[in-house]
Amino acid sequence: MRDHDREGRPDAAVVRDALGVGIAVGLSGFAFGVTSAGGGLTVWQTCALSLLVFTGASQFALVGALAAGGNPLTAAAGAFFLGVRNAFYGLRLSQLLALPRAVRPFAAQWVIDETTAVSLAQRDRRGARIGFAVTGLSLYVLWNLTTLLGALGAEAIGDTDAWGLDAAGPAVFLALLAPMLKSTTERAAAALAVLLGLGLLPVLPGGVPVLVAALAAPLVLWAEGRRQGRARGAAEGEGR
């Protein structure tokens, strides 16, 4: 079937957009490599995280907690909770992509924010598959390459704190997160999480504030539900 006979976008347009996302985010692996190596992990440990875990938020959370002196189990728990969202992405993408069973275990490694966003933006299954594959491949290759370069660079210059590179990881994490906060509820959850995390940082062991900050989402959703319930009640009262 020729491109113009399909309801979806032309393949070239999908590939272009997917490559744009993959390259833009993939370059952030350099910041992770610097942060991880500066936090005490070896080059090989840093590269293993990118190769095997491959979910930026969880990776930054893990090395950040370890660098702050947190317990490894606590740090891993914080990273795990951040990575749980990918399981929900997988439920949606499994229906959209409908990949063969033999391919699914390998495709699961690429189920992250960026591949999900590009796939869901397409109008048909072919476009979604192309977007998923191109985004996943370009991002995986570039993220791991820049992770290696960042870790080697951090090891070569020594004390990353003296160069101010300890702020690279959090800065990149915020840059990736900010565009995703589109609704008032999402912004409120993010603001509350920041307040909880920063407020508890001086009094709780490293890694624990991240876990407590995760409570921001259910708290904000509960408050939003109460607000909407009161609004519906008021509307019904006026309609009587």
Side-chain angles (χ1 to χ4, degrees):
M1 182 182 295
R2 291 172 296 180
D3 285 353
H4 62 267
D5 293 330
R6 294 168 41 218
E7 296 181 358
R9 302 169 62 213
D11 292 350
V14 178
V15 171
R16 181 193 63 226
D17 292 347
L19 281 175
V21 172
I23 293 172
V25 180
L27 293 174
S28 304
F30 184 83
F32 171 72
V34 170
T35 303
S36 180
L41 274 68
T42 67
V43 172
W44 299 114
Q45 288 171 330
T46 298
C47 291
L49 278 174
S50 282
L51 285 167
L52 302 176
V53 178
F54 188 55
T55 172
S58 296
Q59 292 177 232
F60 277 118
L62 177 63
V63 299
L66 291 175
N71 183 286
L73 292 178
T74 304
F80 171 79
F81 282 118
L82 280 174
V84 165
R85 70 191 188 285
N86 293 342
F88 295 99
Y89 293 160
L91 293 175
R92 178 67 182 92
L93 289 181
S94 65
Q95 300 175 357
L96 176 64
L97 301 177
L99 297 173
R101 289 185 179 274
V103 177
R104 292 176 189 174
F106 302 98
Q109 178 73 346
W110 291 353
V111 177
I112 54 176
D113 298 327
E114 293 77 17
T115 55
T116 301
V118 173
S119 298
L120 294 179
Q122 308 313 315
R123 302 170 188 166
D124 61 354
R125 177 164 293 163
R126 175 184 172 85
R129 285 179 170 181
I130 293 173
F132 178 85
V134 174
T135 305
L137 179 60
S138 60
L139 181 50
Y140 189 77
V141 171
L142 192 54
W143 178 271
N144 281 281
L145 177 60
T146 54
T147 292
L148 174 61
L149 294 176
L152 290 173
E155 194 174 66
I157 66 175
D159 184 8
T160 55
D161 291 1
W163 293 80
L165 296 178
D166 55 318
V172 171
F173 181 77
L174 290 175
L176 294 175
L177 177 65
M180 302 179 188
L181 305 177
K182 298 179 180 178
S183 69
T184 302
T185 302
E186 291 169 345
R187 295 190 187 101
L192 180 58
V194 169
L195 292 175
L196 288 173
L198 293 179
L200 297 173
L201 192 60
V203 297
L204 293 179
V208 177
V210 175
L211 297 178
V212 178
L215 297 174
L219 287 174
V220 170
L221 290 175
W222 174 79
E224 179 67 13
R226 290 287 301 272
R227 186 190 67 79
Q228 292 181 356
R230 289 195 297 269
R232 284 195 297 269
E236 291 174 358
E238 292 176 357
R240 291 172 184 164

